[in-house]
């Protein structure tokens, strides 16, 4: 048989195998490159005509609504300051700590607000015999109520305005209790006054707890500030009426109680400061 070598194959076919086009597909999926066959595309197809750019006159020129703010306007920042969140956390921690240290259970406190014997038992078991031990109840209520008052009456001030407001209201609260005791000494009814002050402190602790819980949706619930404010005002009004009725019951059930002292107490010490506070908030709110 004849032997075929590479030279023989090239001589017989008269072809250069290296001049032929050759593609070898890779195992990976790589898009194949476009092959230039040497035939221009424009010589086969008719070139597409492109329309010229049409310029039209703007309809927003020479009209009554001209641009008033050519620069960028900053987006209003509706987020609450950091110090408000810090005050809320601090107030919540103080209320929980006070309940834990004095061992005041919530259900026992609710029962003591309507039962005289439960009130005396709570005072004895929780060691609430001195004024300094019950004073934090009222001060925590002052700190909680001053937050929405600061938002409504003086929002332009920062944390220093809140501190001044809370300090002023706290001093008035202490002065109020001093007036209670002075009237009790004047009308010789110390026992009734002391019992009434203790009852007020327990009501104020309940109000401080509920108001502090409502302050979180008041500040951080979008669109719920007005509704939460109405709820807080309604709760404070109901608590005031219950505390008022409880105080009347205290004076009527104790011996040697004076009806004139009760009338003087209701009008001067309780009702008048509340009316003055409402008037001040209304006036400042209208000015703002």
């Amino acid at each position: 048989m004849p032997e075929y070598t590479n030279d023989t194959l090239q001589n017989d076919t008269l072809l250069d195998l290296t001049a032929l086009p050759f593609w070898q597909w890779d195992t990976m999926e790589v898009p194949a490159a476009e092959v230039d066959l040497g035939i221009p595309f424009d010589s086969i197809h008719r070139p597409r005509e492109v329309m010229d750019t049409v310029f039209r006159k703007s309809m927003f020129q020479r009209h009554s609504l001209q641009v008033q703010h050519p620069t960028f306007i900053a987006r209003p920042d509706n987020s609450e300051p950091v110090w408000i969140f810090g005050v809320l956390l601090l107030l919540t921690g103080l209320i929980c700590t006070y309940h834990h240290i004095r061992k005041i259970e919530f259900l026992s406190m609710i029962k003591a607000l309507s039962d005289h014997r439960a009130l005396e038992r709570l005072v004895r078991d929780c060691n609430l015999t001195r004024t300094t031990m019950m004073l934090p109840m009222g001060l925590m209520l002052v700190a909680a109520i001053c937050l929405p008052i600061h938002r409504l009456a003086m929002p332009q001030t920062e944390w220093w305005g809140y501190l001044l407001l809370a300090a002023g209201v706290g001093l008035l609260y202490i002065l109020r209790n001093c007036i209670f005791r002075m009237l009790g000494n004047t009308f010789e009814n110390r026992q009734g006054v002391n019992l009434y002050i203790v009852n007020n402190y327990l009501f104020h602790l309940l109000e401080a707890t509920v108001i502090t819980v409502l302050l979180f949706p008041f500040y951080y619930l979008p669109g719920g500030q007005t509704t939460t404010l109405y709820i807080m005002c309604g709760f404070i009004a109901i608590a005031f009426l219950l505390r008022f009725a409880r105080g009347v019951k205290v004076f009527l059930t104790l011996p040697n109680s004076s009806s004139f002292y009760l009338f003087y107490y209701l009008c001067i010490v309780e009702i008048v400061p509340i009316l003055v506070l409402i008037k001040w908030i209304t006036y400042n709110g209208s000015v703002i």
Side-chain angles (χ1 to χ4, degrees):
M1 293 180 63
E3 239 177 82
Y4 294 94
T5 62
N6 294 335
D7 298 336
T8 306
L9 181 61
Q10 291 180 1
N11 294 329
D12 294 339
T13 58
L14 300 176
L15 293 175
D16 187 6
L17 296 179
T18 58
L20 296 177
F22 175 76
W23 293 275
Q24 182 178 1
W25 300 101
D26 196 358
T27 55
M28 299 180 62
E29 296 181 358
V30 180
E34 183 179 356
V35 179
D36 187 7
L37 300 179
I39 302 175
F41 184 80
D42 296 338
S43 62
I44 300 177
H45 299 279
R46 182 180 179 183
R48 185 179 58 181
E49 297 181 357
V50 181
M51 297 180 61
D52 295 337
T53 304
V54 179
F55 296 93
R56 301 182 185 274
K57 186 178 180 180
S58 176
M59 60 181 296
F60 297 102
Q61 294 180 358
R62 297 182 181 180
H63 58 85
S64 59
L65 301 178
Q66 296 297 327
V67 178
Q68 301 295 333
H69 302 280
T71 59
F72 291 102
I73 301 177
R75 180 177 296 179
D77 187 10
N78 298 324
S79 60
E80 299 296 337
V82 181
W83 66 269
I84 292 180
F85 186 70
V87 172
L88 289 177
L89 290 183
L90 179 61
L91 188 58
T92 304
L94 290 176
I95 292 176
C96 296
T97 304
Y98 188 83
H99 276 277
H100 178 72
I101 292 177
R102 291 300 166 190
K103 299 179 181 179
I104 302 176
E105 298 181 357
F106 190 78
L107 296 179
S108 301
M109 180 179 62
I110 297 296
K111 187 177 181 180
L113 296 178
S114 58
D115 189 1
H116 179 68
R117 294 184 178 179
L119 176 62
E120 293 181 348
R121 184 168 56 252
L122 180 66
V123 171
R124 182 182 64 254
D125 296 341
C126 299
N127 193 18
L128 299 175
T129 55
R130 291 184 296 178
T131 306
T132 55
M133 298 178 180
M134 296 182 291
L135 184 60
M137 301 181 185
L139 296 182
M140 288 186 294
L141 176 62
V142 169
I145 291 182
C146 286
L147 280 173
I149 293 178
H150 176 268
R151 167 56 63 85
L152 297 177
M154 40 195 306
Q156 69 279 2
T157 60
E158 297 295 334
W159 56 271
W160 55 270
Y162 168 74
L163 290 180
L164 292 177
L165 178 63
V169 178
L171 292 177
L172 292 178
Y173 183 86
I174 297 174
L175 179 62
R176 168 180 172 273
N177 290 336
C178 294
I179 295 176
F180 285 164
R181 299 187 184 278
M182 182 187 67
L183 293 176
N185 296 332
T186 302
F187 292 94
E188 298 180 356
N189 195 359
R190 297 181 180 179
Q191 182 182 1
V193 170
N194 292 332
L195 185 60
Y196 187 82
I197 291 177
V198 172
N199 182 75
N200 286 350
Y201 275 129
L202 291 179
F203 267 98
H204 292 163
L205 180 60
L206 175 63
E207 294 175 19
T209 304
V210 176
I211 294 299
T212 303
V213 174
L214 293 177
L215 284 177
F216 285 94
F218 176 78
Y219 282 105
Y220 300 104
L221 181 62
Q225 182 175 359
T226 304
T227 304
T228 309
L229 181 62
Y230 288 153
I231 294 175
M232 288 191 294
C233 292
F235 173 77
I236 293 175
I238 294 174
F240 173 77
L241 294 177
L242 293 177
R243 182 168 59 87
F244 185 81
R246 176 67 175 169
V248 172
K249 183 178 180 180
V250 167
F251 281 101
L252 293 179
T253 54
L254 289 178
N256 299 327
S257 60
S258 175
S259 57
F260 174 76
Y261 166 68
L262 177 61
F263 176 77
Y264 185 80
Y265 155 73
L266 295 177
C267 295
I268 303 300
V269 186
E270 284 287 354
I271 300 179
V272 173
I274 294 177
L275 295 178
V276 172
L277 180 61
I278 294 176
K279 179 63 177 179
W280 181 73
I281 294 176
T282 305
Y283 174 75
N284 289 312
S286 62
V287 171
I288 295 174

